[in-house]
Amino acid sequence: MDRILYTAGGGASQTMAQQSVVNNNLANVSTPGFRGELMAFRAVPVEGDARLPTRIASMMTTPGADFTPGTISTTGRSLDVALQGDDTWLALQSPDGGEAYTRRGDLQVDATGLLTSLGNPVLSDNGQAIVVPLGGDVTIAADGSISVLEPGQNPDAVAPLARLKMVVPGNDNLVRGEDGLFRRVPAEGEDVAAPLPADDTRRLVPGALEGSNVTPTDAMISMIDSARRYDMHMKVIESADENEQRANSLLSLTS
């Protein structure tokens, strides 16, 4: 294969990978608490038998997430919470049974009374899933305490049912999973990261939501930029094909 075709084709392939990241960020511009995925290109040496270390190829990588906090807006919904501090995370039970973390605060109560975030059980400060009585008015305080006023109950007799588990895992120690949830990177000597203890000093804003930190304008600019870069690679491939056809024509004339 012509080397220029290999180089341009590899560049086009990596540009398409970048486009998929941009599309995912743009699709989540309205998702509460969403953290945009970062992307970067890096040079990778082309290795192999009888190859001089003079050729490199480009590769698109996703080094992590953008942990810049989103804008908090008031909703008035009793099950909406916005976490204060960009290093505070809400603990959930992940589909694999472990502990995962999210900034998404639009909580829901399913048909069994289980408190969830995007279908994943929300954990209390003792590490257990939170179940609330059905038909009651749920209230979440600034410290994460959950109270439920059942029909006919005296408001003065309402006691906290549970408390949301808020943790501080350290943003540098988090990695996003394929399900969109973040997990702590296992420490040295750990096969699986152990659950973090609840931080009682953390606070939240009841009746509010933190928006996505993805800016639509920036995402659209990145999309246009990657589309133009892809077109440039394709034009290089077309030019290489035209040059090869012309060379073949000249060779056929001299033979």
Side-chain angles (χ1 to χ4, degrees):
M1 180 184 292
D2 195 316
R3 292 181 178 179
I4 193 173
L5 292 178
Y6 180 86
T7 302
S13 174
Q14 297 305 310
T15 301
M16 289 298 293
Q18 179 197 25
Q19 185 78 304
S20 65
V21 174
V22 175
N23 290 343
N24 182 63
N25 286 343
L26 189 59
N28 288 280
V29 71
S30 299
T31 301
F34 181 79
R35 292 293 184 261
E37 190 170 10
L38 299 176
M39 51 198 163
F41 283 96
R42 63 185 180 94
V44 179
V46 178
E47 300 178 354
D49 297 336
R51 292 187 183 275
L52 296 176
T54 57
R55 295 183 60 206
I56 60 174
S58 62
M59 178 173 291
M60 202 282 296
T61 60
T62 51
D66 178 11
F67 292 107
T68 304
T71 302
I72 295 179
S73 57
T74 302
T75 64
R77 181 173 175 267
S78 62
L79 290 179
D80 286 345
V81 294
L83 301 171
Q84 292 186 356
D86 58 356
D87 59 346
T88 306
W89 293 78
L90 188 65
L92 308 175
Q93 182 179 330
S94 61
D96 58 7
E99 186 171 282
Y101 309 106
T102 184
R103 294 280 299 188
R104 183 162 184 165
D106 54 337
L107 308 183
Q108 306 286 337
V109 177
D110 67 11
T112 64
L114 185 66
L115 187 66
T116 65
S117 174
L118 202 62
N120 300 289
V122 178
L123 298 180
S124 65
D125 54 2
N126 61 6
Q128 302 297 317
I130 300 174
V131 179
V132 300
L134 295 175
D137 294 330
V138 181
T139 302
I140 302 178
D143 64 350
S145 298
I146 301 175
S147 302
V148 180
L149 177 62
E150 299 186 54
Q153 185 179 10
N154 184 355
D156 296 333
V158 176
L161 175 69
R163 185 176 182 182
L164 297 176
K165 183 177 182 179
M166 293 178 283
V167 299
V168 185
N171 293 340
D172 294 337
N173 299 324
L174 292 177
V175 60
R176 192 201 312 266
E178 294 183 357
D179 54 5
L181 300 177
F182 286 83
R183 292 167 176 81
R184 190 170 64 88
V185 178
E188 185 177 354
E190 287 184 330
D191 294 331
V192 179
L196 291 171
D199 190 334
D200 296 338
T201 65
R202 297 287 123 174
R203 294 294 181 266
L204 52 80
V205 182
L209 281 179
E210 178 189 9
S212 170
N213 67 351
V214 177
T215 304
T217 303
D218 293 342
M220 289 297 298
I221 292 174
S222 297
M223 179 179 292
I224 295 172
D225 177 71
S226 60
R228 290 181 175 176
R229 186 181 295 112
Y230 180 82
D231 291 339
M232 180 185 66
H233 288 303
M234 298 308 296
K235 288 180 180 178
V236 171
I237 294 176
E238 293 175 1
S239 297
D241 182 59
E242 292 175 0
N243 291 338
E244 185 176 357
Q245 292 182 10
R246 291 172 182 173
N248 290 337
S249 299
L250 291 175
L251 290 175
S252 63
L253 292 175
T254 57
S255 60

